[in-house]
Amino acid sequence: MKNVRLRIEKSLEGGPRVSSSAPAVFGTLYAIDPLTGGRVQGTPARRPLIPISSDPATVCSLEIPPGQYVVEVSLPSGECLSAVIEAQRDKACDVVLQGEASPREWLAWHHLIGNVVAPQQPSLEHALNAPVRHMGRPKPAGPGRHGRFKPRVYQRWWAQLEAGTAWALLAHPKFDKRLGIKLDHEVPCAQADAEHAVYEFTGSIKSGRHRMFAIVELADTLELVTLPLPWLHHGSRAKHVIELALQRPSSGRPFASAIAVRDPNLSMLLGFLASGALPAARELATKSEERLDQDITNPLGAAAGAYAFVANTRGATQRPWRRWILNLNRQFAWLPDAAILVAALELRNEPSETNLASVRDVSLEAYSRGLPYFTLGLRWLLDIFDKLVPVFPELAQQQQTVERVALRCHPSSAFTILRLPSAGA
Amino acid sequence: MPSAFVFDRPLKGPATHAVIIGIGSYPHLPGGSSRAKTAHHEGMGQLTSPPQSARHLARWLIDQFDSPARPLGSVQLLISEKKPRPFPLRGAVGERTSVTVPRATKAEIERALADWRSKGDSHSDNLMLLFFCGHGAGSGLTLSLLLEDFGDRPNAPLKNCIDLRRFHSAMDECAARDQCYFIDACRTESRLLTANAGFAGDPIFQSTGIFQHRDRRARAGPMFFSTVADAAAYSRPGKPSIFTDAVIAALSGAGSGDSNGPWEVTATRLQTALDAIMREESQALGLERSQTPSADAVVELTLNTVAAPQVPIFVRVEPAAAHAIAKLRCEGPECHRRLKPSAEPWRFQARTGVYDFVAEFKTGCYKHTALRKEPVRPPFWRKPILVGP
């Protein structure tokens, strides 16, 4: 009899979705000695995949021997949940891990993956008399708490630009003037309060020929937000909803934008990629490995999984996912991240003189495909050029251009978001 | 010139080598000792916490770091403070002594990092630790670490800074395959970096194009930041920063797990512990927004082994009115604590074990209530004690 039922309580049911399945993360379950609290040695820890849902019927069911156990889960937001379980032989036990409440129900996906933080719980009283100081600059004067936060969001797509033009324009100080951005095609807001706003995109765009971006107009900046469209559901090929969440910029947080994909299979993986928790991302990618090997329905999702695999590779590898990364690059010749992944993989496999030249070639191919969809791609492209330029000095110009663009990049976002001077700046 | 080594022990096998930099005194920033102040201060001034943070961490490493797989091999310490103080040491026969540590100028840091790199090149299984506490200037994926003599050249203000991204990238050519970086600095947006379009200082080391890893392993080089990009870091003036305290708590046990047998602090568990501890500390300090640590390139990497992990404990009584008048009694392995009523949740550390937590009341308004036989394990123990009338 399965005597333990695990679930993480969080309501994610609001808003349009193409899949009714719940997102999930791996937890750690292990037996402990009730007298010492230490792990019972010799009993392996289990890694259950625990669903995140407010539905009591959506659980991970396990059969475990009677005893005391601890279950721990880390969410992409950084929140750590745990519970002690008293498992009995013939009696089922429901274990519900309660996470932090999100500021609004319609921000739940963003809160879950760390895009949005709940307001600080009011402190009972400050016990410390000593003042708290910034280690550095004084708080910059920003919009007051009660000032107007009325962003405007536009969608824009461009045909794939010739590489040099695209990068040069992105790196140019007066980006929007050069490219002639017209702020038309305004996107209606789906939900908003005084501090947040959410916009939804599904996008009927033929990937490969066009890239779609959201342009967020704030007080004195623009944010160019990569929209990973279309994000297709494996099998049905239905389009998942992409959500853009905006938060009021505050002191120390000039970036307003964040992206969440309402894909229960990959949203958590994307959150872990953004937070830098790469082993957790890889573990989730492993769940999708076989499927990705068979049919790459969603090349962007496949690229996300590939980042997780490659980032955790520490030596030469002949794992199956290596093959489908090469396939990804061949089949989707418009995807910059696919070429970046191939280059990064080759560098980790101890490159020789022979394949350094091919790493150079595939890096240039990546550059020619334009701005990476993923921030990790931009970061890795920089690292790859750092390593190649001493051997191939002719790559210095590309390196410098990518560097300029990287200065504008949101470093904690899964998808590439650039902050640009506005037309009036 | 004083040596930066405050600990140096030749070891045959793999070892842990650390460089710790704490910069509070910036002569060319407002409030500094030099008459020549830089025009590019961007609101930065003098700091009191970084020297304390650096000392605190060096002390902990020397006294308490205990990794049988990679014992502590060396610690280099560089501190810039207004009134330099010697760093206390124990001599070969246990006598108390002290050393003067070098200031964290560009020249001294270059020397120390070269020595550190050389230690790393001696064995591919060495663990390299870098800890920096001071001013930082960020833009996008770029972060510049400001050294003591930042701003000494009016027309080249970034000359005495470290380009962290390039430094980290070049360290991929160090033979030591396991490296960990802790950066405790504000990462607020810098116009100087944007204006210089990619130049963020000196990478200290340069990539040479040598990729041949002697033992065919890719480098693990996670970086932990005290805050997210474009955000500020906090401290109590004159005391170690909350990030430093969190790092030490994590290395002491909060970041450990025993899934492989002994308690090991790993990069992934350390990341979880840092986040949890700093959320609690931010709330204790009443910060408007939680100071959220961030990380980059976290892969599985063992940092330390602890025999008896110390676990941060956060206890509060609910409802809040009850907490204000409750006393806490905590009973467990070698732990008998009596804590007075507090406006804040009680915060302390205890060894891994099983504990009783009892909320007691002098008046009869609430019943004494206990949570008994609670397993206390990393990364932390945090529960409310629900009391009734």
Side-chain angles (χ1 to χ4, degrees):
Chain A
M1 171 194 170
K2 295 198 174 175
N3 53 346
V4 170
R5 296 190 290 248
L6 299 165
R7 176 171 65 92
I8 298 168
E9 167 67 37
K10 189 135 185 112
S11 173
L12 296 170
E13 280 72 33
R17 295 173 68 181
V18 301
S19 169
S20 58
S21 58
V25 290
F26 283 99
T28 306
L29 176 77
Y30 44 86
I32 60 171
D33 182 337
L35 294 177
T36 64
R39 200 165 84 80
V40 175
Q41 297 300 327
T43 59
R46 296 176 69 153
R47 296 286 291 166
L49 189 60
I50 305 174
I52 305 168
S53 173
S54 59
D55 178 7
T58 305
V59 295
C60 167
S61 298
L62 300 172
E63 183 179 349
I64 56 178
Q68 192 173 67
Y69 294 80
V70 165
V71 62
E72 292 175 347
V73 166
S74 288
L75 300 177
S77 60
E79 201 180 352
C80 182
L81 309 175
S82 66
V84 176
I85 303 170
E86 300 287 347
Q88 299 175 44
R89 189 177 304 281
D90 296 319
K91 187 177 175 189
C93 164
D94 286 301
V95 180
V96 181
L97 298 163
Q98 185 73 47
E100 192 180 63
S102 64
R104 300 280 185 188
E105 192 172 304
W106 43 268
L107 287 169
W109 281 87
H110 293 277
H111 181 254
L112 180 62
I113 64 174
N115 285 348
V116 164
V117 294
Q120 192 84 296
Q121 291 297 322
S123 185
L124 296 168
E125 186 180 323
H126 302 316
L128 298 166
N129 295 321
V132 177
R133 288 176 52 186
H134 277 251
M135 276 176 46
R137 297 164 181 75
K139 277 190 182 181
R145 178 180 288 280
H146 301 292
R148 288 165 64 88
F149 174 53
K150 289 204 168 186
R152 298 179 75 169
V153 175
Y154 306 87
Q155 68 180 23
R156 184 95 175 124
W157 54 90
W158 283 283
Q160 290 288 66
L161 297 176
E162 189 273 326
T165 310
W167 283 105
L169 287 170
L170 289 170
H172 197 276
K174 299 290 182 183
F175 166 76
D176 55 315
K177 286 183 178 174
R178 288 284 299 271
L179 197 55
I181 286 185
K182 290 179 189 172
L183 297 182
D184 49 13
H185 292 96
E186 185 166 358
V187 179
C189 176
Q191 298 273 8
D193 62 18
E195 301 286 321
H196 308 91
V198 164
Y199 303 78
E200 294 172 358
F201 302 83
T202 48
S204 298
I205 183 170
K206 189 166 182 179
S207 59
R209 295 189 56 196
H210 294 88
R211 286 279 296 266
M212 186 176 278
F213 294 88
I215 302 171
V216 179
E217 185 184 33
L218 301 166
D220 56 2
T221 55
L222 295 176
E223 291 183 5
L224 185 74
V225 183
T226 294
L227 294 176
L229 290 167
W231 191 279
L232 299 176
H233 182 65
H234 181 81
S236 72
R237 294 181 173 261
K239 300 187 188 82
H240 283 290
V241 173
I242 307 298
E243 274 192 2
L244 167 66
L246 301 184
Q247 296 181 86
R248 176 195 288 275
S250 65
S251 58
R253 196 184 64 214
F255 278 100
S257 307
I259 288 284
V261 181
R262 286 177 165 262
D263 176 353
N265 288 322
L266 292 174
S267 57
M268 298 298 103
L269 186 156
L270 293 168
F272 284 125
L273 279 186
S275 70
L278 300 174
R282 186 207 50 196
E283 194 170 16
L284 288 172
T286 304
K287 191 168 71 74
S288 304
E289 185 176 351
E290 184 183 332
R291 195 162 62 225
L292 290 166
D293 191 32
Q294 293 161 359
D295 170 27
I296 303 178
T297 306
N298 179 357
L300 296 175
Y307 276 117
F309 284 127
V310 176
N312 285 281
T313 298
R314 296 200 67 185
T317 176
Q318 298 301 323
R319 289 290 303 278
W321 51 261
R322 186 171 186 277
R323 187 180 64 243
W324 61 254
I325 289 174
L326 298 175
N327 286 341
L328 183 72
N329 187 42
R330 271 195 295 271
Q331 285 181 37
F332 301 96
W334 50 266
L335 182 56
D337 302 79
I340 292 168
L341 285 159
V342 171
L345 191 59
E346 292 303 316
L347 280 177
R348 283 168 186 269
N349 277 344
E350 195 178 355
S352 62
E353 267 189 37
T354 312
N355 72 350
L356 262 189
S358 72
V359 172
R360 174 202 59 198
D361 294 344
V362 76
S363 304
L364 283 173
E365 175 63 27
Y367 182 86
S368 76
R369 295 178 183 179
L371 184 70
Y373 279 75
F374 293 86
T375 302
L376 203 49
L378 188 58
R379 198 190 294 275
W380 284 12
L381 190 58
L382 260 180
D383 283 345
I384 291 165
F385 279 135
D386 282 345
K387 291 175 167 62
L388 290 178
V389 163
V391 182
F392 304 106
E394 67 272 21
L395 299 179
Q397 186 175 353
Q398 286 89 344
Q399 179 196 40
Q400 286 167 17
T401 302
V402 174
E403 231 165 22
R404 288 198 178 95
V405 174
L407 281 175
R408 296 176 161 161
C409 182
H410 188 337
S412 304
S413 167
F415 297 103
T416 312
I417 298 174
L418 302 180
R419 188 171 58 224
L420 308 168
S422 67
Chain B
M1 229 170 306
S3 165
F5 283 96
V6 294
F7 184 91
D8 194 6
R9 176 173 60 167
L11 293 166
K12 280 188 182 171
T16 299
H17 299 285
V19 165
I20 302 171
I21 301 166
I23 309 178
S25 168
Y26 287 88
H28 302 285
L29 290 179
S33 57
S34 170
R35 285 186 181 175
K37 301 286 194 295
T38 179
H40 307 286
H41 55 83
E42 298 188 333
M44 292 181 285
Q46 307 306 305
L47 302 170
T48 56
S49 180
Q52 314 312 321
S53 299
R55 271 181 223 285
H56 194 45
L57 188 66
R59 182 88 278 139
W60 182 86
L61 277 174
I62 293 168
D63 291 346
Q64 300 196 44
F65 182 83
D66 177 24
S67 176
R70 294 192 274 214
L72 191 66
S74 67
V75 177
Q76 293 187 76
L77 180 63
L78 299 98
I79 292 179
S80 294
E81 54 192 340
K82 191 174 176 182
K83 291 180 184 174
R85 292 185 290 129
F87 183 75
L89 289 177
R90 287 206 183 275
V93 292
E95 74 279 17
R96 291 191 179 187
T97 181
S98 66
V99 290
T100 302
V101 297
R103 298 187 72 89
T105 59
K106 173 91 172 297
E108 293 287 357
I109 284 177
E110 277 180 326
R111 196 173 359 252
L113 289 176
D115 288 337
W116 180 67
R117 170 79 179 258
S118 179
K119 299 271 190 190
D121 283 334
S122 68
H123 201 300
S124 61
D125 287 330
N126 282 345
L127 173 64
M128 310 300 287
L129 301 177
L130 179 93
F131 181 86
F132 174 91
C133 189
H135 278 307
S139 184
L141 301 183
T142 298
L143 181 62
S144 183
L145 306 180
L146 278 55
L147 309 181
E148 179 192 299
D149 35 3
F150 166 78
D152 70 339
R153 300 281 176 93
N155 298 321
L158 292 171
K159 175 179 161 290
N160 294 323
C161 299
I162 295 177
D163 181 334
L164 179 65
R165 189 189 65 75
R166 280 207 160 96
F167 170 76
H168 182 261
S169 182
M171 275 295 290
D172 196 3
E173 296 182 5
C174 175
R177 300 286 78 205
D178 291 344
Q179 305 164 12
C180 198
Y181 301 80
F182 299 92
I183 307 299
D184 189 0
C186 283
R187 297 171 70 186
T188 40
E189 181 80 0
S190 167
R191 284 188 299 273
L192 207 51
L193 287 189
T194 313
N196 282 277
F199 181 77
D202 192 331
I204 306 295
F205 305 127
Q206 295 167 7
S207 295
T208 62
I210 298 173
F211 300 100
Q212 303 295 324
H213 309 306
R214 291 174 212 171
D215 67 350
R216 303 170 68 90
R217 270 187 300 152
R219 184 263 307 257
M223 289 196 281
F224 295 96
F225 300 93
S226 58
T227 186
V228 293
D230 295 319
Y234 292 88
S235 69
R236 304 179 188 88
K239 294 193 175 176
S241 69
I242 62 177
F243 180 69
T244 300
D245 284 342
V247 168
I248 289 175
L251 289 171
S252 299
S256 68
D258 59 353
S259 54
N260 294 327
W263 288 99
E264 290 180 333
V265 177
T266 61
T268 48
R269 294 193 69 96
L270 184 138
Q271 183 181 16
T272 302
L274 285 179
D275 198 285
I277 295 168
M278 290 182 67
R279 281 175 194 236
E280 288 289 333
E281 284 300 311
S282 296
Q283 187 165 346
L285 291 172
L287 299 182
E288 183 184 333
R289 290 186 189 278
S290 180
Q291 179 177 334
T292 308
S294 63
D296 192 19
V298 179
V299 293
E300 206 54 272
L301 171 62
T302 300
L303 297 169
N304 192 17
T305 306
V306 287
Q310 291 291 315
V311 182
I313 292 176
F314 312 103
V315 193
R316 70 179 192 279
V317 172
E318 286 183 4
H323 181 90
I325 60 172
K327 288 184 190 177
L328 180 70
R329 183 162 51 88
C330 174
E331 306 280 353
E334 299 171 20
C335 170
H336 306 282
R337 281 182 183 257
R338 301 276 191 282
L339 297 173
K340 295 177 186 175
S342 165
E344 292 292 331
W346 294 286
R347 293 177 169 82
F348 55 95
Q349 288 191 317
R351 249 182 51 197
T352 308
V354 176
Y355 291 79
D356 293 339
F357 297 92
V358 186
E360 297 175 332
F361 300 89
K362 233 178 184 178
T363 66
C365 297
Y366 298 96
K367 288 181 186 168
H368 291 348
T369 306
L371 294 175
R372 298 207 183 269
K373 292 191 170 56
E374 289 285 328
V376 169
R377 292 176 52 87
F380 57 84
W381 187 93
R382 178 176 57 200
K383 268 189 185 178
I385 303 176
L386 305 174
V387 303

